[in-house]
Amino acid sequence: MNKKLIALIGVVLALVMVLAACTAAPAPAPTAEPANEPAATDAPETPAEPTAEPAYVPTGKLVVYCAGSEDEVEVLTELWEELYPDCDLEFITNGTGELAARIEAEADNPQGDVLIGGSYSIYAGLLDYLQPYTSPVLAECLPSYCGETDMYTPMQINVNTIIVNNQMVADLGITVDGWESLTNEALKGSISYVDPSASSSAREQVINMLAAMAEKNGNSMDDNWEFVKAFFTNLDKKMHSSSSKVPQAVANGEYAVGITNEELVLQLMRDGVDVSPVYAKEGITLRNSFMGIIKDCANLDNAKAFVDFIISHDVQQALADECLMRSVRPDVSFSGLDNVPSSDQLPAMNYPVDWVAANSDLKARLQDLISSLG
């Protein structure tokens, strides 16, 4: 490149720089920063996020009074330990009558934290010994068959079911299809049943009989005590001390029939035992099993967490799958076994809440009836 061209380029660049300097805006005069004012940043202003409370994680101990089966205890223990390995879960199992009596006796120094299992009549009689609690998970559940309250929480839909030893009934040559079938003299002494003073399930079954026969006969429940008397007469003074013995005695061939909770029959069928469920044609009062926190218990926060845990989706699904229990949640599938009716196919009746509330002496009345039969 020749020297004249280089010189010309240099002159042009110098002129450009001068013009740019002349047209630039003057710098603003410095101003004093306000005292204690934070320095400006380019980041947009955003409101502070509220700090979420951490979910409660149970630790320590939890004592559960349980009226459920060994399978139920096993499932609940396994799932709880997976979620809360630092909280020792202890189950004390017995019939609801014994557990309720224990809670009352321990009122001044509760040894348990939660009661699970048992019917409306049991919990209605324990109101003075229970701690109010409404689980946030309860909103995800079906309405209770026995009405809503914060004193106890539904955990299972119970179905009163007649369990039949198929071979024994065939040998007797009779048909068992409902409550009236149980007064057939061919079954005298061959009905597996639990003492109603020891089991709320037995009392609920009597409530069901009275309601069903009232519906059939077009009269009131109190008009049908003669039917209940005929049923107890057909027991021939034979009653178990625990409700868990009822289905097992039928499975073992000691009795031809019995009355129990549906899932216990289905579990035996799943295990290959030759028994069948009969859903009484006169009607079944669908009801809930409940759970409640014991008043002044030692581990209240753990007890609340346990109630939430029981009605959570995963636990309810596990109980349906493993224990064949009908769930209180609408989003839990219940396949049961082949030919087992869905809940909307059962001969269901409304639960007689008002009658049960007005007959809080049912246990004593049944004891008097049994005594009158010798």
Side-chain angles (χ1 to χ4, degrees), residues 31-91:
T31 58
E33 290 285 337
N36 302 322
E37 189 73 21
T41 67
D42 292 332
E45 291 187 9
T46 55
E49 289 289 334
T51 303
E53 284 191 26
Y56 177 74
V57 178
T59 59
K61 187 176 182 180
L62 180 68
V63 179
V64 177
Y65 288 173
C66 176
S69 66
E70 291 181 8
D71 288 346
E72 183 180 344
V73 169
E74 184 178 337
V75 169
L76 295 178
T77 299
E78 181 179 344
L79 293 175
W80 179 265
E81 289 179 349
E82 286 178 4
L83 285 174
Y84 308 119
D86 295 326
C87 185
D88 181 31
L89 181 61
E90 178 185 356
F91 280 95

Side-chain angles (χ1 to χ4, degrees), residues 75-130:
V75 169
L76 295 178
T77 299
E78 181 179 344
L79 293 175
W80 179 265
E81 289 179 349
E82 286 178 4
L83 285 174
Y84 308 119
D86 295 326
C87 185
D88 181 31
L89 181 61
E90 178 185 356
F91 280 95
I92 296 175
T93 59
N94 213 326
T96 50
E98 288 85 353
L99 292 173
R102 180 168 181 166
I103 290 170
E104 293 179 14
E106 296 172 349
D108 293 335
N109 184 25
Q111 300 301 299
D113 299 304
V114 184
L115 171 66
I116 66 171
S119 65
Y120 167 77
S121 58
I122 280 288
Y123 287 82
L126 282 176
L127 292 181
D128 291 339
Y129 305 92
L130 298 176

Side-chain angles (χ1 to χ4, degrees), residues 75-274:
V75 169
L76 295 178
T77 299
E78 181 179 344
L79 293 175
W80 179 265
E81 289 179 349
E82 286 178 4
L83 285 174
Y84 308 119
D86 295 326
C87 185
D88 181 31
L89 181 61
E90 178 185 356
F91 280 95
I92 296 175
T93 59
N94 213 326
T96 50
E98 288 85 353
L99 292 173
R102 180 168 181 166
I103 290 170
E104 293 179 14
E106 296 172 349
D108 293 335
N109 184 25
Q111 300 301 299
D113 299 304
V114 184
L115 171 66
I116 66 171
S119 65
Y120 167 77
S121 58
I122 280 288
Y123 287 82
L126 282 176
L127 292 181
D128 291 339
Y129 305 92
L130 298 176
Q131 165 79 35
Y133 177 60
T134 299
S135 169
V137 189
L138 187 60
E140 302 169 13
C141 298
L142 296 165
S144 170
Y145 283 105
C146 301
E148 304 296 341
T149 176
D150 63 355
M151 298 303 293
Y152 41 87
T153 304
M155 62 171 290
Q156 176 195 356
I157 297 174
N158 258 330
V159 180
N160 296 320
T161 306
I162 300 171
I163 178 174
V164 172
N165 182 304
N166 295 325
Q167 186 59 57
M168 292 183 70
V169 167
D171 290 344
L172 289 170
I174 61 173
T175 297
V176 177
D177 57 8
W179 304 122
E180 285 188 294
S181 304
L182 302 181
T183 60
N184 188 328
E185 287 192 3
L187 287 172
K188 189 167 186 175
S190 197
I191 303 171
S192 188
Y193 191 69
V194 61
D195 184 344
S197 66
S199 169
S200 67
S201 296
R203 296 194 290 278
E204 289 295 335
Q205 290 151 11
V206 170
I207 291 168
N208 194 153
M209 290 180 193
L210 287 169
M213 298 311 295
E215 180 77 16
K216 177 180 181 293
N217 297 328
N219 53 17
S220 73
M221 290 175 64
D222 286 314
D223 291 328
N224 288 279
W225 276 102
E226 282 302 314
F227 173 81
V228 174
K229 183 176 180 180
F231 166 73
F232 275 96
T233 298
N234 225 27
L235 295 177
D236 200 23
K237 305 176 185 178
K238 298 179 182 179
M239 286 186 288
H240 303 292
S241 59
S242 170
S243 56
S244 63
K245 295 179 180 178
V246 171
Q248 199 58 54
V250 176
N252 294 341
E254 300 170 49
Y255 294 84
V257 299
I259 313 176
T260 189
N261 289 342
E262 177 194 42
E263 71 272 11
L264 301 180
V265 187
L266 302 185
Q267 289 168 20
L268 289 168
M269 293 170 63
R270 181 182 58 190
D271 294 340
V273 181
D274 188 22

Side-chain angles (χ1 to χ4, degrees), residues 341-361:
S342 60
S343 296
D344 59 359
Q345 294 174 323
L346 295 169
M349 302 175 58
N350 291 331
Y351 186 85
V353 175
D354 292 341
W355 186 91
V356 174
N359 288 269
S360 57
D361 62 343

